[in-house]
Amino acid sequence: MVSSSLHPMKTAFITGITGQDGSYLAEYLLKQGYKVVGMMRRSATPSTARFAAIEDQVEIGHGDLLDQSSLMRLLDQHKPDEIYNLAAQSFVHSSFHEPVHTGSVTGLGVIRMLEAMRLVCPQARFYQASSSEMFGEVQETPQRETTPFHPRSPYGVAKVYGHWATVNYRESYDMFACSGILFNHESPRRGLEFVTRKISDHVAAIVFGEKDKLALGNLDARRDWGFAGDYIRAMHLMLQQDTADDYVISTGTTQSVREFCRIAFERVGLNYEDFVVVDPRFFRPAEVELLLGDASKAKEKLGWEPEVDFQGLVEMMVDADLQRRLDRFQKPQRGTLPAGVKSS
Ligand code: NAP
Ligand code: G4F
C-alpha cells in the first residue's frame, strides 16, 4: 500500500464499499494516501464489481449493519481515524415493500455504528450519509440545513432517525459526528433500479436492439441531480474541519425525469417520446415531487464546488452504457453513437 505525505496513513473505514458512493470514496481516499478498510456483508455472490480496479488496495472486513458485534469487532481490529457510514437499504421504492428491514438497516443501523464507535474508538470522526429524501414534502424551496423534515417514505423516515442519531451523539458525547444531507447523485456506477441509470441503460439497450420501450413512472418528478464523484469529495472535506457540523450538498438546479429522458435520447439522435411509456407499477404510494438544494454553507465553509453539470452527467451515463455494449462486441441497430464512444 502506498503512503503519501498528504495524510500519513490515516485509516478510513467505509460501510457500503460495494455501492456507488463507497467505490468512488475508496478510490479518492486511496489517492489521498489513506489506508482504506471496506465493510462488506456476506453474500453467496460477492459484489465487488464497482471497486474491482482497486480491490487489491482495499482491506475488506466482513460485517453487517444489522449485527452490532460485527461492527464492534471491525472497529476494534482496525481502529479507524475516519468512519464513513454509507451502507443502507437505499432504494426508496423498495422501502415501501420492506419497511421494517429498511428501518433496521437505514435507521437503527446508524445508531449501531455510532454506539460501536462510542465504545471502541470515540476519537474517530464519523460521517453519516443523510439524504434530501428527509425533506420529502418540502416545507421551503430551496432546501437548506434548517429546512424542517417531512419524509414521504419508510426510507425517508429511517434517514431522519439516522440524521438525528448523529446529531444526538455529537451533542451527548462530544463525538465528531457529521451528517451530509446529500441530494441525488448519479454516475455510470449507479444501480440499474434508480431512474437515471434505468434511463441511460435503456437508451443503450434500444440503440443496440435489445429493447424497444422504456417503462417509467412519474415523469414530472423533479430532482437536484449531481455527479457522485463530486459529492464524495464533500464527505471527506466535512471530516477535515475543526468542528463537526451538518451540510447540504447539491447542485442548486432541478430537472424533471422527462428532461433527463429528453437529453439522454437526444444523445443518440432519438426522440424520447417514441420510446417512453408510463407504467403505474413505477408510481409510489407517496411521491417526493420536487427537490432543490441550497449548498451555500458547504461552498462557504468547505470550499466545495461541483464540477459536472446536468447535461454532462446525462451524457456521461449514456456514453458509459453504450461503451459497455461496444466492449462486449455488440453492434448498434439504431440511432447514432456520440463521437467519443468507439469500438476498442
Ligand atoms: P448503494 O449503491 O445502494 O449502496 C448501498 C450499500 O449499502 C451497498 O454497499 C450495500 O451492500 C450496503 N448495505 C446494504 N445493506 C447493508 C447491511 N445490512 N449491512 C451492511 N451493508 C449494507 O447506495 P449509494 O448510492 O452508494 O448511497 C450511499 C449512501 O448514501 C446510502 O446510505 C444512501 O442511502 C445515501 N444517499 C445516497 C444518495 C444518492 O443519490 N446516491 C443521496 C443521499 C443519500 P450490498 O452490495 O451487499 O447490497
Ligand atoms: O432514482 P430514484 O429511484 O431516486 P430517489 O427516490 O430520488 O432516491 C434516491 O435519491 C435520494 C436522495 O434524494 C437518496 F437518498 C436515495 O437513496 C436514492 O439514491 O427516483 C427519482 C424519481 C422519483 O420521483 C421516482 O418516482 O424518479 C421517479 N421515477 C419515475 N419513474 C422513477 C421511475 N424512479 C425509479 N426508480 N424508476 C422508475 O421507473
Side-chain angles (χ1 to χ4, degrees):
M1 199 156 311
V2 185
S3 173
S4 91
S5 54
L6 292 174
H7 300 284
M9 218 32 136
K10 276 195 202 171
T11 298
F13 182 80
I14 304 175
T15 72
I17 185 112
T18 60
Q20 170 188 262
D21 291 5
S23 67
Y24 279 107
L25 181 65
E27 278 171 14
Y28 180 76
L29 293 179
L30 285 170
K31 283 199 190 116
Q32 301 288 316
Y34 280 71
K35 173 184 173 186
V36 175
V37 179
M39 187 179 87
M40 268 177 76
R41 51 186 175 161
R42 193 267 161 190
S43 162
T45 44
S47 51
T48 55
R50 286 194 178 97
F51 66 99
I54 53 163
E55 204 172 344
D56 57 348
Q57 299 167 64
V58 172
E59 194 165 329
I60 293 298
H62 287 278
D64 196 308
L65 278 192
L66 295 173
D67 185 303
Q68 182 77 57
S69 67
S70 67
L71 306 179
M72 298 188 60
R73 175 178 49 75
L74 287 172
L75 293 190
D76 190 43
Q77 189 179 339
H78 296 288
K79 305 268 180 343
D81 301 287
E82 296 174 10
I83 298 169
Y84 295 87
N85 185 38
L86 309 186
Q89 192 303 92
S90 73
F91 187 36
V92 173
H93 193 91
S94 288
S95 78
F96 287 100
H97 303 300
E98 300 177 1
V100 178
H101 174 76
T102 303
S104 299
V105 177
T106 307
L108 275 176
V110 183
I111 218 155
R112 288 193 196 96
M113 202 65 233
L114 284 163
E115 194 56 8
M117 173 172 149
R118 183 179 77 82
L119 295 170
V120 177
C121 51
Q123 300 311 317
R125 296 182 166 210
F126 182 85
Y127 173 84
Q128 167 55 18
S130 289
S131 165
S132 50
E133 274 292 305
M134 301 189 302
F135 297 122
E137 183 75 38
V138 297
Q139 304 295 297
E140 65 174 341
T141 296
Q143 296 85 52
R144 44 180 74 91
E145 292 79 4
T146 50
T147 303
F149 300 138
H150 184 142
R152 296 269 285 170
S153 64
Y155 169 83
V157 171
K159 281 289 179 187
V160 172
Y161 180 88
H163 173 80
W164 282 116
T166 305
V167 174
N168 180 252
Y169 270 56
R170 182 167 76 218
E171 293 175 353
S172 305
Y173 305 114
D174 201 22
M175 282 162 53
F176 195 105
C178 298
S179 173
I181 307 174
L182 271 52
F183 282 62
N184 298 51
H185 46 279
E186 319 292 315
S187 74
R189 296 184 201 169
R190 187 59 143 151
L192 286 163
E193 67 275 37
F194 298 95
V195 76
T196 54
R197 183 75 199 291
K198 181 174 171 182
I199 296 168
S200 66
D201 187 61
H202 273 72
V203 167
I206 286 167
V207 167
F208 282 82
E210 294 163 31
K211 290 199 163 82
D212 295 316
K213 290 286 169 219
L214 165 57
L216 292 173
N218 181 5
L219 298 183
D220 298 317
R222 301 182 73 85
R223 291 290 183 274
D224 182 330
W225 276 299
F227 171 51
D230 285 339
Y231 284 38
I232 52 95
R233 285 190 283 108
M235 299 175 188
H236 178 247
L237 282 168
M238 284 178 217
L239 298 200
Q240 312 315 308
Q241 305 307 304
D242 291 337
T243 50
D245 208 342
D246 309 320
Y247 298 89
V248 159
I249 302 297
S250 64
T251 68
T253 64
T254 187
Q255 281 88 15
S256 64
V257 172
R258 188 186 302 282
E259 185 64 0
F260 196 106
C261 289
R262 188 185 66 72
I263 297 178
F265 278 89
E266 260 180 27
R267 182 72 174 159
V268 293
L270 299 175
N271 182 346
Y272 82 94
E273 289 173 313
D274 295 333
F275 300 96
V276 172
V277 292
V278 171
D279 184 335
R281 280 184 304 144
F282 299 110
F283 286 109
R284 296 169 181 183
E287 176 63 289
V288 173
E289 294 291 349
L290 164 78
L291 289 175
L292 174 61
D294 175 358
S296 307
K297 179 175 166 183
K299 289 181 180 187
E300 191 194 319
K301 300 210 165 151
L302 306 178
W304 176 81
E305 287 288 342
E307 286 172 6
V308 177
D309 67 7
F310 179 66
Q311 174 113 9
L313 174 68
V314 180
E315 293 179 354
M316 177 202 299
M317 292 179 72
V318 171
D319 289 6
D321 279 316
L322 292 166
Q323 190 68 56
R324 278 188 182 101
R325 285 169 172 81
L326 272 185
D327 291 347
R328 295 194 303 246
F329 305 107
Q330 292 178 238
K331 297 239 177 304
Q333 308 292 318
R334 51 157 89 86
T336 48
L337 290 183
V341 178
K342 293 196 179 82
S343 305
S344 44

